[in-house]
């Protein structure tokens, strides 16, 4: 029992240490973090300037501006950049041999993955804070107040774990930065096939059905209601619960991939 | 055969070998072809699906969303084909294969030409995929064969332009992760254009930026055959924009390569 407890404690300490290493790596190459902020901001600016006429279409939620509508989608977009970075960074560790060195050191296996994800989650939360501040400065309003802001930041951190787990699984399976990096556009498209940038009520046919059943829509819709309508405990639970559940699944996948790799070598 | 002619022949062989190596690399690592083919097709599905209601707004330019979005999707695919070839070069740089390439005698220029050629060939794949896919879903080509040729010219050359821009950044940063920066530049350049809506829908800064963005001219060149007849007045601004962008990015990439490997 005590051994188990001290094992968990040690794993926790190792995860924190590796999270710190991951953060140091990220900040050393801070230029690479910038696209994750610039791109969603640019997209929000473009969409706000080109989709003004759509606000009048029947089925569009009642919003003051397109900026309010797109805030959750922009945060999601920012997070997706960092999430793939968690995978490419792990692939780099595999390519340059640092991963092998970690494996021969007395570090538990799981913290190797969680450390990278932890770093990505901290950066995702930071990005969410910066984006929210910029959106507020540009005239957006978050009707659920400070509580809503905190929830949105937590969702950002959870989303990066969900996507990052998948990217890590791919990094372990391919061991190639190029292959993991190449999946970024597909993540972008998955986000696009949801209500992140346009309401599902204005979509048609099978695409609408797909968007309505996309877990990203299940996260973004309640997140958006917190922004444009106000506080709702049901929305908070749904917006946090969906990415949490996906994180558990994808991180388990990554751990299984790691175990599979270790068995085969 | 004199020395100059021999050098030209050798340069051509090196460039062709690099181009062929890139194509073989795609064949040997199918995971790399997935985004090249699937991504632009899925982008077309995404844009047509998410924004199908735009055609309900007066002045959109077409009642068939595929005619508007397919050329845009093809250009996106071509741009990513260009960046994909930069990804291969980044891989070579990080793995040390680039150093071996530098051992080839003669000018460094064929290294650049080979990568660019690979990019142009790679761009044909997403363009064809998007074209055939959109045709099956209801896209029409009122501009006929000339419209299709305009699309292929636009995608191949734009792929070359973004390959060169990507190489400029890669030669400076020397890391695979610089691809992320290139993706933002590529997406940004395409977004601040008439990709999704016509200029008449835009307001404020975007309207001005899209007007002066050379990608707008390239998009109009590629899209003209899908909205109506092909016209010289729409063709030459696109060709001019492509020529200028190729020359400028080519000169910068060449300078970057010379600095990296004097």
């Amino acid at each position: 029992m005590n051994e188990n407890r001290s094992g968990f404690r040690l794993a926790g300490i190792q995860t924190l240490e590796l999270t710190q290493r991951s953060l140091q790596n990220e900040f050393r190459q801070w230029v690479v973090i910038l696209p994750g902020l610039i791109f969603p901001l640019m997209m929000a600016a473009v969409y706000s300037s080109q989709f003004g006429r759509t606000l009048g279409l029947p089925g569009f939620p009642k919003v003051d501006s397109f900026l309010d509508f797109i805030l959750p989608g922009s945060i999601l977009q920012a997070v997706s950049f960092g999430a793939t970075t968690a995978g490419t960074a792990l692939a780099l560790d595999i390519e340059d041999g640092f991963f092998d060195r970690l494996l021969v050191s007395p570090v538990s296996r799981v913290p190797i993955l969680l450390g990278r994800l932890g770093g990505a989650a901290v950066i995702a939360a930071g990005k969410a804070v910066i984006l929210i501040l910029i959106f507020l400065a540009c005239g957006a309003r978050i009707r659920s107040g400070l509580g809503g802001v905190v929830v949105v930041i937590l969702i950002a951190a959870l989303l990066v774990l969900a996507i990052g787990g998948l990217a890590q699984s791919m990094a372990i399976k391919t061991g190639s930065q190029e292959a993991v990096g190449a999946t970024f556009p597909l993540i972008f498209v998955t986000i696009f096939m949801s209500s992140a940038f346009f309401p599902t009520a204005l979509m048609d046919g099978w695409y609408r059905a797909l968007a309505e059943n996309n877990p990203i829509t299940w996260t973004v819709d309640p997140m958006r209601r917190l922004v444009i309508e106000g506080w709702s405990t049901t929305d908070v639970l749904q917006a946090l619960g969906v990415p949490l559940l996906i994180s558990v699944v994808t991180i388990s996948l990554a751990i299984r991939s790691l175990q599979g790799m270790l068995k085969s070598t | 055969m004199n020395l100059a002619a021999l050098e030209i022949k050798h340069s051509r062989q090196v460039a062709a070998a690099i181009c062929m190596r890139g194509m073989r690399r795609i064949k040997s690592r199918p995971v790399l072809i997935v985004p090249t083919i699937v991504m632009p097709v899925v982008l077309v599905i995404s844009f047509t699906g998410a924004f199908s209601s735009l055609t309900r707004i007066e002045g959109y330019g077409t009642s068939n969303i595929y005619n508007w979005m397919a050329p845009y999707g093809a250009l996106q695919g071509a741009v990513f084909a260009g960046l994909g070839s930069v990804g291969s070069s980044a891989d070579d740089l990080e793995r040390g294969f680039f150093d071996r390439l530098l051992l080839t005698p003669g000018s460094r220029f064929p290294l650049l030409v080979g990568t660019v050629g690979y990019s142009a060939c790679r761009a044909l794949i997403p363009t064809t995929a998007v074209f055939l896919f959109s045709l099956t879903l209801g896209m029409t080509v009122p501009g006929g064969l000339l419209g299709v040729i305009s699309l292929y010219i636009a995608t191949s050359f734009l792929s070359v332009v973004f390959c060169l821009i990507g190489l400029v950044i890669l030669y400076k940063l020397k890391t695979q992760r610089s691809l992320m920066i290139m993706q933002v530049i590529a997406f940004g350049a395409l977004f601040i254009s008439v990709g999704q809506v016509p200029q008449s829908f835009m307001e404020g800064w975007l309207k001005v930026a899209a007007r002066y963005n050379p990608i707008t001219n390239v998009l109009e060149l590629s899209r003209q055959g899908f909205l109506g007849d092909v016209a010289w007045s729409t063709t030459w601004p696109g060709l001019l924009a492509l020529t200028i962008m190729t020359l400028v990015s080519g000169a910068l990439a060449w300078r970057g390569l010379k600095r990296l490997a004097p």
Side-chain angles (χ1 to χ4, degrees):
Chain A
M1 185 83 170
N2 272 346
E3 257 180 34
N4 272 349
R5 202 177 293 167
S6 65
F8 277 123
R9 196 170 159 267
L10 191 63
I13 292 168
Q14 289 169 347
T15 302
L16 281 177
E17 290 282 342
L18 288 168
T19 297
Q20 209 177 344
R21 173 186 175 258
S22 164
L23 283 171
Q24 277 169 352
N25 277 352
E26 291 294 325
F27 287 123
R28 211 172 284 149
Q29 295 189 59
W30 60 272
V31 173
V32 184
I33 299 176
L34 282 183
L37 279 172
I38 295 168
F39 184 66
L41 284 172
M42 188 182 66
M43 209 161 158
V46 168
Y47 279 9
S48 302
S49 300
Q50 76 178 19
F51 287 146
R53 288 192 193 186
T54 61
L55 298 186
L57 284 171
F60 205 97
K62 213 174 163 195
V63 284
D64 294 334
S65 71
F66 201 87
L67 212 56
D68 291 359
F69 177 83
I70 207 169
L71 191 147
S74 301
I75 289 177
L76 190 63
Q77 191 74 67
V79 163
S80 68
F81 273 84
T84 42
T85 305
T88 50
L90 184 69
L92 176 66
D93 283 349
I94 294 171
E95 280 177 1
D96 67 12
F98 183 77
F99 192 75
D100 290 333
R101 276 191 273 161
L102 278 177
L103 291 180
V104 292
S105 67
V107 178
S108 312
R109 303 314 184 213
V110 176
I112 296 174
L113 302 182
L114 295 186
R116 278 282 175 206
L117 289 174
V122 172
I123 286 175
K127 277 184 193 167
V129 171
I130 295 170
L131 280 180
I132 289 170
L133 289 175
I134 294 174
F135 269 73
L136 291 177
C138 292
R141 279 184 67 192
I142 298 179
R143 289 178 189 268
S144 50
L146 190 62
V149 171
V150 173
V151 172
V152 168
I153 293 166
L154 280 175
I155 296 167
L158 282 173
L159 279 168
V160 90
L161 299 182
I163 305 171
L166 206 62
Q168 285 196 331
S169 180
M170 187 149 185
I172 295 165
K173 280 190 173 143
T174 63
S176 155
Q177 284 191 85
E178 194 180 353
V180 180
T183 59
F184 171 73
L186 295 176
I187 291 170
F188 173 81
V189 164
T190 312
I191 295 172
F192 222 97
M193 284 184 171
S194 72
S195 62
F197 302 117
F198 224 62
T200 49
L202 288 175
M203 298 170 189
D204 300 314
W206 65 268
Y207 188 89
R208 179 177 176 163
L210 195 74
E212 281 175 344
N213 290 297
N214 183 340
I216 290 175
T217 299
W218 303 338
T219 309
V220 166
D221 279 353
M223 196 171 164
R224 178 170 292 130
R225 284 195 292 273
L226 288 171
V227 173
I228 65 177
E229 288 175 13
W231 182 267
S232 151
T233 309
T234 316
D235 285 337
V236 171
L237 289 175
Q238 188 186 334
L240 288 171
V242 174
L244 181 68
L245 198 68
I246 301 172
S247 305
V248 172
V249 173
T250 58
I251 294 171
S252 304
L253 264 177
I255 293 171
R256 275 191 68 174
S257 304
L258 179 62
Q259 285 168 339
M261 181 187 144
L262 293 174
K263 266 185 200 165
S264 65
T265 49
Chain B
M1 200 181 276
N2 63 31
L3 203 62
L6 257 176
E7 195 169 328
I8 290 171
K9 188 184 167 201
H10 174 257
S11 298
R12 266 209 318 255
Q13 284 171 338
V14 172
I18 290 174
C19 179
M20 287 309 294
R21 177 176 171 263
M23 296 309 284
R24 273 198 293 270
R25 187 190 177 100
I26 289 183
K27 212 173 152 188
S28 63
R29 293 174 77 179
V31 71
L32 298 179
I33 196 72
V34 172
T36 308
I37 291 182
V38 176
M39 199 212 86
V41 168
V42 178
L43 274 179
V44 171
I45 296 172
S46 304
F47 292 148
T48 51
F51 303 134
S52 56
S53 57
L54 290 173
T55 55
R56 294 179 213 161
I57 304 172
E58 210 183 313
Y60 189 64
T62 176
S63 57
N64 184 341
I65 192 78
Y66 285 99
N67 286 18
W68 188 271
M69 294 296 184
Y72 182 47
L75 281 182
Q76 295 250 18
V79 165
F80 277 94
L83 296 186
S85 9
V86 179
S88 304
S89 299
D91 208 34
D92 287 346
L93 257 175
E94 287 183 348
R95 287 173 188 270
F97 186 79
F98 189 77
D99 293 332
R100 277 193 266 165
L101 284 176
L102 294 180
L103 293 175
T104 53
S107 163
R108 307 284 188 231
F109 200 63
L111 302 183
L112 199 63
V113 175
T115 310
V116 163
Y118 163 46
S119 166
C121 293
R122 192 169 164 163
L124 298 176
I125 302 170
T127 307
T128 307
V130 165
F131 180 72
L132 295 176
F133 177 79
S134 304
L135 269 183
T136 59
L137 286 182
M139 183 183 74
T140 55
V141 196
L145 185 63
L146 276 179
V148 180
I149 292 171
S150 301
L151 175 71
Y152 273 89
I153 290 174
T155 51
S156 293
F157 276 91
L158 199 64
S159 167
V160 165
V161 167
F162 276 90
C163 173
L164 289 166
I165 293 172
L167 287 174
V168 173
I169 298 170
L170 176 69
Y171 292 154
K172 185 90 184 155
L173 298 180
K174 303 180 199 78
T175 164
Q176 183 83 243
R177 294 181 81 187
S178 58
L179 274 174
M180 198 67 101
I181 299 170
M182 298 169 209
Q183 282 173 345
V184 172
I185 293 173
F187 263 120
L190 285 160
F191 266 116
I192 304 172
S193 71
V194 291
Q196 291 169 337
V197 296
Q199 276 185 58
S200 59
F201 274 44
M202 298 173 180
E203 297 157 7
W205 69 273
L206 181 63
K207 196 167 189 162
V208 180
R211 174 72 195 85
Y212 292 104
N213 181 356
I215 304 293
T216 292
N217 296 328
V218 181
L219 254 162
E220 284 170 351
L221 163 71
S222 69
R223 190 181 273 152
Q224 57 176 333
F226 299 86
L227 301 181
D229 288 331
V230 172
W232 178 242
S233 58
T234 313
T235 305
W236 76 258
L239 293 177
L240 183 68
L242 284 169
T243 308
I244 293 172
M245 284 191 289
T246 306
L247 289 175
V248 172
S249 56
L252 290 173
W254 177 228
R255 197 179 66 163
L257 179 61
K258 279 200 293 191
R259 280 187 182 172
L260 183 72

